[in-house]
């Protein structure tokens, strides 16, 4: 006897409510008019790529940071309205952002 049969035995008059399927809506990022800045810095002797200038919500920027980190398979963080990626990946990050429809400006070197 499965759970449904046991419930029917306990509550014979009960009619189960129909299950409604929820449609998943793909989350779209806010694409801005001003270009985002992609710059290179050395912090504590290690190369880092910093992305700044996003005008949308922080949640969208965090989603974008996670997507960049997973595509490049690198570490990084979201801090003070900027994405900090470990290593010099400016060219690859700029390509990813351009495919998504963002304007990107390269700064430094």
């Amino acid at each position: 006897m499965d759970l449904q049969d046991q419930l029917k035995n306990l509550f014979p008059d009960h009619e189960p409510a129909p299950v409604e399927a929820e449609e998943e809506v793909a989350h779209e990022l806010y694409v801005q008019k001003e270009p985002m800045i992609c710059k290179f810095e050395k912090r504590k002797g290690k190369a880092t790529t910093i992305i700044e200038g996003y005008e949308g919500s922080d949640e969208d920027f965090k989603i974008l940071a996670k997507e960049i980190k997973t595509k490049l398979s690198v570490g990084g963080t979201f801090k003070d309205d900027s994405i900090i990626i470990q290593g010099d990946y400016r060219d690859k990050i700029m390509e990813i952002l351009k495919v998504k429809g963002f304007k990107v400006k390269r700064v430094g070197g």
Side-chain angles (χ1 to χ4, degrees):
M1 255 181 137
D2 66 344
L3 181 62
Q4 294 295 330
D5 293 334
Q6 291 176 2
L7 289 172
K8 284 181 183 179
N9 288 340
L10 290 173
F11 306 104
D13 297 333
H14 178 69
E15 291 289 326
V19 177
E20 294 180 18
E22 293 183 22
E23 293 183 26
E24 289 188 24
V25 178
H27 184 77
E28 291 193 22
L29 296 173
Y30 169 75
V31 179
Q32 61 197 32
K33 294 178 183 175
E34 294 296 317
M36 292 171 56
I37 296 172
C38 186
K39 62 183 178 180
F40 171 77
E41 276 187 16
K42 279 203 168 194
R43 294 189 175 185
K44 298 182 182 177
K46 302 200 179 195
T48 58
T49 304
I50 300 171
I51 304 163
E52 296 175 332
Y54 186 69
E55 298 171 353
S57 70
D58 282 349
E59 290 301 317
D60 288 348
F61 207 34
K62 287 179 184 177
I63 292 169
L64 185 63
K66 182 170 182 155
E67 188 172 324
I68 289 171
K69 290 189 300 184
T70 55
K71 282 190 177 181
L72 297 175
S73 301
V74 296
T77 185
F78 172 79
K79 195 186 293 185
D80 300 329
D81 294 331
S82 63
I83 300 172
I84 302 169
I85 303 292
Q86 296 174 352
D88 186 10
Y89 292 100
R90 284 178 291 181
D91 296 328
K92 292 178 182 178
I93 290 172
M94 289 173 66
E95 286 299 317
I96 292 170
L97 293 175
K98 284 179 183 176
V99 167
K100 292 197 146 295
F102 290 101
K103 295 177 186 171
V104 185
K105 189 175 185 180
R106 183 181 174 133
V107 176

